[in-house]
């Protein structure tokens, strides 16, 4: 292996050479973003379904939120739960808490009251900023929880508020802007994101004030080369690590404009933003995920190339099948730049680039990050062999809050264990093999579910596919595929089996195929294979 893969240094616990030493001793990320855009006061920073927020208005409102939260008696590093749909009040709330030295805890808007009750207790949040549409779920969570919240601030209320609740605009207007940001350091806790684990409770992932600066510098500027004149639009919501970079850290770091969308990123909702029908601006940069791209390309309302303004398209969340990228490029004339990131690393650390795209791979290490692949014995694996992916870089999370065992398992010295399987190719690019807990051993040989899925979706009739292992009559593991066909299309199980056999090694073809109308997915669009496994194991 060449030196840039670090399979030799992969055995070392040496910390990254790039780190917070490059930032000043006093560094508040919210204050940094605001100061970077002082000269752009009249320029739109965010556009949502309700209107436009300029950089000047953003700064004033951020400082008012900071002052208002401080006035509630909240102290440095206390947590503030942020349960809000994507709108202009989201970045105001997030940055306002950070500006005050508090720690916003951005949570998924698609969870249950039980989930929110757990997060309130686990984070010990002292205040909540919530969208009016989500207030019923929060109220139910507060009833279930023994934890008391000091203040509930409601953005765009949809019903009369109770005395303990205050409307967002009234909260802002009641306080003068805080005159000075909290004197935090790059290593101070800045915010939390809850990981979307496939089993067990989500983990509170703690990131520092310095971490989003690194992702913006290394990926937003370094790889994507975002510009001040860009208009960014992310299908991934701001409460996800991917969406937070796409829709806040990256565009603000260069003075760009961001389109925010509260509703689900369905193809039709996405197309309205692409065409400038809401907000009046067409995005030049779009951040999506493979599941979304598949749905859009199969949608009869897919816009024409000449009707959109996209110069750059990014994908993450799950590996991009080569066929999807090629079809998107053929239609729009723009490559999809595929990469992989994680909540633990905050954003993308392995990626194709706008200048260099190799479909079917996740690309090359992002400069500033180091990649190692290790076998089950912890030793480096050679090119062409599957190994566990480890990352070293300056944006790694500090810890999982109140979870020492998982922290030690994931954050090992200077390295972060991703839980993904990868193969390094001769040109230094990396090919995704699947999640470590999804890998199958068939006839004594590892099979990547993703490889079989990516082959199935090349068939003209297949929209999506998910592959799991099921025991046969003798207790041996065989592959089973769940297939969603395109609207109006048809195919037989034998036809699809033959299609896979023709393209992959014979032992990899799915022995069983079940046609379904949809697949279980996370809010980010990742296929939840564990639910399919649970379904199979509970079947009579």
């Amino acid at each position: 292996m060449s030196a840039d893969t670090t399979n030799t240094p992969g055995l070392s616990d040496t910390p990254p050479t790039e780190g917070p030493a490059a930032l000043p001793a006093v560094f508040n990320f919210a204050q940094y973003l605001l100061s970077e855009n002082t000269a752009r006061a009249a320029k739109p920073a965010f556009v949502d379904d309700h209107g436009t927020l300029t950089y000047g208005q953003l700064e004033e409102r951020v400082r008012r939120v900071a002052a208002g939260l401080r006035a509630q008696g909240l102290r440095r590093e206390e947590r503030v739960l942020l349960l809000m749909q994507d709108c202009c009040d989201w970045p105001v709330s997030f940055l306002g808490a950070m500006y005050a030295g508090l720690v916003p805890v951005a949570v998924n808007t698609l969870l249950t009251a039980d989930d929110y009750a757990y997060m309130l207790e686990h984070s010990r949040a002292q205040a909540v900023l919530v969208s009016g549409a989500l207030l019923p779920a929060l109220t139910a969570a507060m009833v279930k929880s023994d934890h008391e919240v000091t203040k509930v601030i409601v953005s765009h209320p949809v019903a009369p508020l109770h005395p303990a609740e205050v409307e967002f605009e009234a909260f802002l207007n009641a306080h003068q802007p805080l005159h000075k940001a909290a004197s935090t350091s790059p290593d101070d806790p800045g915010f939390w994101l809850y990981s979307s684990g496939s089993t067990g409770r989500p983990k509170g992932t703690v990131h520092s004030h310095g971490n989003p600066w690194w992702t913006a510098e290394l990926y937003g500027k370094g790889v994507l080369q975002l510009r001040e004149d860009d208009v960014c639009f992310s299908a991934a919501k701001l409460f996800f690590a991917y969406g937070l970079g796409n829709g806040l850290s990256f565009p603000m770091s260069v003075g760009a404009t961001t389109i925010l969308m509260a509703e689900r990123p369905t193809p039709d909702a996405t197309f309205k933003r692409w065409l400038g029908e809401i907000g009046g601006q067409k995005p030049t940069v779009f951040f999506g995920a493979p599941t979304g791209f598949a749905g859009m390309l199969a949608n009869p309302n897919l816009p024409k190339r000449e009707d959109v303004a996209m110069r750059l398209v990014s994908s993450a969340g799950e590996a991009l099948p080569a066929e999807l990228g090629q079809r998107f490029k053929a239609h729009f004339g723009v490559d999809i730049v595929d990469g992989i990131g994680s909540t633990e690393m905050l954003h993308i650390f392995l990626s194709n680039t706008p200048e260099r795209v190799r479909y079917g791979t996740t690309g090359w290490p992002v400069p500033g990050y180091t990649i190692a692949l290790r076998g089950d014995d912890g030793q480096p694996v050679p090119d062409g062999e599957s190994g566990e992916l480890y990352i070293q870089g300056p944006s790694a999370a500090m810890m999982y809050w109140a979870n020492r065992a998982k922290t030690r398992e994931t954050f090992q010295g200077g390295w972060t264990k991703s839980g993904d399987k990868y193969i390094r190719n001769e040109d230094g690019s990396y090919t995704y093999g699947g999640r470590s807990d999804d890998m199958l051993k068939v006839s004594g040989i590892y099979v990547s579910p993703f490889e079989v899925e990516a082959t199935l979706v090349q068939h003209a009739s297949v929209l999506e596919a998910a592959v799991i292992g099921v025991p046969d009559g003798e207790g041996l593991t065989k592959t089973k595929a769940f297939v969603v066909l395109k609207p109006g299309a048809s195919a037989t199980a034998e036809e699809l089996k033959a299609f896979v056999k023709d393209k992959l090694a014979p032992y990899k073809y799915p022995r069983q195929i079940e046609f379904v109308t949809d697949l279980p997915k996370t809010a980010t669009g990742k296929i939840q294979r564990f639910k399919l496994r649970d379904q199979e194991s509970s079947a009579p």
Side-chain angles (χ1 to χ4, degrees):
M1 283 200 173
S2 61
D4 66 347
T5 68
T6 73
N7 271 5
T8 299
L11 302 178
S12 166
D13 285 332
T14 304
T17 53
E18 298 85 4
L23 290 170
V26 176
F27 180 80
N28 181 295
F29 184 65
Q31 190 276 332
Y32 160 75
L33 287 181
L34 296 178
S35 64
E36 286 291 293
N37 293 290
T38 300
R40 303 184 180 98
K43 181 180 179 181
F46 295 95
V47 178
D48 69 6
D49 299 349
H50 303 280
T52 298
L53 186 69
T54 67
Y55 274 104
Q57 293 167 331
L58 174 67
E59 176 170 2
E60 180 184 2
R61 291 168 72 83
V62 163
R63 291 168 59 201
R64 284 183 183 272
V65 165
L69 292 173
R70 285 273 191 92
Q72 309 309 311
L74 273 67
R75 298 170 294 179
R76 283 276 297 269
E77 297 186 16
E78 288 188 323
R79 270 76 66 193
V80 177
L81 198 77
L82 180 52
L83 174 57
M84 196 176 286
Q85 295 170 330
D86 279 19
C87 66
C88 291
D89 290 346
W90 203 106
V92 169
S93 303
F94 183 83
L95 296 175
M98 292 185 75
Y99 193 90
L102 305 172
V103 180
V105 180
V107 299
N108 190 328
T109 59
L110 303 174
L111 302 180
T112 66
D114 285 341
D115 293 316
Y116 298 136
Y118 168 76
M119 291 171 176
L120 284 170
E121 294 180 353
H122 183 248
S123 68
R124 305 180 198 126
Q126 298 300 300
V128 181
L129 295 121
V130 59
S131 289
L134 301 172
L135 184 57
L138 174 67
T139 302
M142 293 172 67
V143 170
K144 294 172 177 283
S145 171
D146 293 330
H147 176 72
E148 294 186 7
V149 173
T150 304
K151 190 66 121 182
V152 175
I153 303 139
V154 185
S155 167
H156 301 294
V158 296
L161 300 180
H162 296 294
E165 301 159 352
V166 60
E167 194 268 333
F168 193 84
E169 291 299 322
F171 181 75
L172 263 65
N173 293 334
H175 300 92
Q176 291 300 310
L178 191 66
H179 71 284
K180 183 182 178 183
S183 298
T184 52
S185 84
D187 287 339
D188 280 346
F191 59 94
W192 292 17
L193 300 172
Y194 274 97
S195 67
S196 53
S198 60
T199 58
R201 290 291 193 180
K203 300 179 289 294
T205 310
V206 182
H207 279 285
S208 69
H209 274 264
N211 283 2
W213 183 88
W214 281 109
T215 61
E217 290 295 309
L218 297 177
Y219 195 71
K221 296 179 182 179
V223 173
L224 298 182
Q225 302 169 43
L226 295 183
R227 310 187 305 231
E228 182 180 3
D229 62 349
D230 275 323
V231 177
C232 299
F233 173 44
S234 174
K237 302 300 184 181
L238 289 167
F239 58 77
F240 293 119
Y242 180 48
L244 182 63
N246 304 341
L248 194 153
S249 306
F250 294 1
M252 285 194 69
S253 71
V254 297
T257 298
T258 299
I259 297 172
L260 297 176
M261 179 175 71
E263 63 183 304
R264 288 180 56 246
T266 62
D268 287 329
T270 300
F271 297 158
K272 287 180 182 179
R273 275 74 182 181
W274 282 6
L275 298 172
E277 294 177 4
I278 297 179
Q281 299 203 51
K282 293 183 178 182
T284 61
V285 181
F286 176 68
F287 301 88
T291 299
F293 289 121
M296 287 185 282
L297 289 171
N299 190 288
N301 299 322
L302 184 68
K304 298 176 181 178
R305 178 188 300 197
E306 59 268 23
D307 292 333
V308 302
M310 292 179 294
R311 71 170 188 87
L312 177 65
V313 177
S314 166
S315 179
E318 55 184 336
L320 178 76
E323 185 264 349
L324 270 182
Q326 290 159 356
R327 281 201 290 133
F328 189 94
K329 172 69 176 292
H331 184 85
F332 288 108
V334 180
D335 276 311
I336 298 178
V337 178
D338 185 36
I340 183 176
S342 67
T343 304
E344 290 75 13
M345 294 304 296
L346 189 56
H347 213 274
I348 291 172
F349 47 80
L350 184 63
S351 181
N352 287 270
T353 71
E355 302 83 13
R356 191 184 188 193
V357 171
R358 181 182 170 188
Y359 285 123
T361 79
T362 315
W364 297 263
V366 171
Y369 293 90
T370 304
I371 302 299
L373 297 183
R374 306 180 189 177
D376 294 340
D377 58 1
Q379 297 301 307
V381 300
D383 286 2
E385 289 191 14
S386 177
E388 185 97 25
L389 179 69
Y390 287 76
I391 314 102
Q392 187 183 70
S395 63
M398 303 171 71
M399 70 178 98
Y400 296 130
W401 183 261
N403 195 336
R404 180 179 290 188
K406 280 293 184 182
T407 296
R408 287 178 169 175
E409 179 184 335
T410 301
F411 304 104
Q412 302 180 7
W415 295 90
T416 300
K417 181 180 180 180
S418 74
D420 294 296
K421 291 283 190 180
Y422 264 88
I423 294 171
R424 185 182 184 273
N425 305 306
E426 291 184 0
D427 64 355
S429 64
Y430 288 75
T431 298
Y432 181 64
R435 293 291 296 171
S436 299
D437 52 6
D438 284 334
M439 292 294 285
L440 307 173
K441 210 164 194 180
V442 179
S443 303
I445 307 172
Y446 276 115
V447 173
S448 162
F450 175 77
E451 182 183 20
V452 182
E453 293 162 3
T455 302
L456 281 166
V457 297
Q458 292 177 37
H459 191 281
S461 295
V462 176
L463 177 63
E464 295 178 311
V467 172
I468 64 169
V470 295
D472 64 10
E474 298 178 343
L476 300 174
T477 299
K478 303 298 182 185
T479 49
K480 177 175 180 177
F482 295 82
V483 173
V484 179
L485 296 177
K486 294 176 182 176
S490 63
T492 66
E494 292 308 314
E495 178 184 348
L496 295 182
K497 289 178 184 180
F499 183 80
V500 175
K501 280 183 183 179
D502 187 54
K503 295 181 177 296
L504 297 179
Y507 67 89
K508 296 182 180 181
Y509 85 92
R511 301 314 198 268
Q512 300 178 44
I513 292 181
E514 181 176 334
F515 294 100
V516 294
T517 55
D518 54 35
L519 298 172
K521 296 178 186 135
T522 67
T524 53
K526 295 179 184 177
I527 295 171
Q528 294 174 307
R529 296 181 188 86
F530 76 95
K531 289 191 174 181
L532 296 173
R533 289 195 293 266
D534 292 345
Q535 172 186 311
E536 285 296 301
S537 62
S538 62

